[in-house]
Structure formats: C-alpha cells, structure tokens
C-alpha cells in the first residue's frame, strides 16, 4: 500500500522545511543544521552550531537569492532593474546541509530562529 507523505503546513519556515524533507525522504549521508554567518560575501564564512571551525567560501555552495543580485523586469511595458541586498550579514542565522564527506557546505536558507 502506497501512502501520500504528510507535508507540514504549520510551524516556522525551518520546521516546515525539515518536516518536508522527512516526509518526502532525506539523504542519510549528511546533516541538516543551523549555522551563523561570521563573515559577509565575497569572503563568506559560516560557523555551524556545535562546531569550532568556521567554514570558508571555497567549499560553500550558497542559494544565490541570499547573495546580492540584480534582476531586470518589465512593469507596464517599462523595463526596470531591481537590486537585492546581501541577506547574509554577520550574525545572520542560516540552515545548512553538510554532506557526510564534508567537502562542501550548502547554505539553503535564512533561519527564523
């Protein structure tokens, strides 16, 4: 019998993300954890909770919407440019995925904790 997984619809963003991963499946070869940004882009560094070493940008893979970027849009037939600020300020809390091999660290989203 196949059952449809229950995707959480209540709670904080991070708890819904973790609940969705658990409902749909997860990669047993890694860990989802919280971290703190200790240095801003372009020299991004993060410190995962319960770790003592900062992870620097040479092994970080980051959600591009957390970094500064520019988007060109068309509004009422007018072309406009929207500039988005860096969301990864020093002290920002983020959710990261650390694969078992620890060769990369994926910054997924801001944490709401």
């Amino acid at each position: 019998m196949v059952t449809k997984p229950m995707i959480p619809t209540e709670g904080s963003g991070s708890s819904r993300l973790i609940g969705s991963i658990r409902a749909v499946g997860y990669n047993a070869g890694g860990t989802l954890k919280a971290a703190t940004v200790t240095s801003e882009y372009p020299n991004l560094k993060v410190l995962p909770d319960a770790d003592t070493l900062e992870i620097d940008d040479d092994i970080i893979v980051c959600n591009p919407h957390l970094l500064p970027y520019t988007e060109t849009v068309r509004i009422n037939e007018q072309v406009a440019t929207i500039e988005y600020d860096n969301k990864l300020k020093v002290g920002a809390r983020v959710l990261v995925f650390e694969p078992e091999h620890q060769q990369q660290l994926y910054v997924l989203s801001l944490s709401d904790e």
Side-chain angles (χ1 to χ4, degrees), residues 14-89:
S14 58
S15 67
R16 288 193 318 268
L17 174 64
I18 292 168
S20 296
I21 291 168
R22 287 181 180 147
V24 177
Y26 73 100
N27 181 349
T31 306
L32 185 65
K33 53 174 94 171
T36 303
V37 175
T38 57
S39 178
E40 293 182 17
Y41 174 83
N43 298 314
L44 181 63
K45 292 182 182 181
V46 298
L47 178 63
D49 289 3
D51 284 0
T52 56
L53 295 174
E54 291 178 320
I55 308 297
D56 51 13
D57 65 349
D58 59 337
I59 65 167
I60 293 175
V61 177
C62 188
N63 176 343
H65 291 296
L66 299 175
L67 301 173
Y69 69 100
T70 303
E71 182 177 29
T72 302
V73 296
R74 184 177 297 272
I75 302 171
N76 296 329
E77 301 303 319
Q78 298 291 326
V79 175
T81 301
I82 302 171
E83 292 185 16
Y84 295 92
D85 290 333
N86 177 28
K87 293 176 180 63
L88 299 178
K89 306 283 186 191

Side-chain angles (χ1 to χ4, degrees), residues 12-14 18 33-36 49 91-95 110-113:
S12 67
S14 58
I18 292 168
K33 53 174 94 171
T36 303
D49 289 3
R93 300 286 291 155
V94 292
L95 291 174
L110 292 173
S111 175
D112 56 0
E113 54 174 50

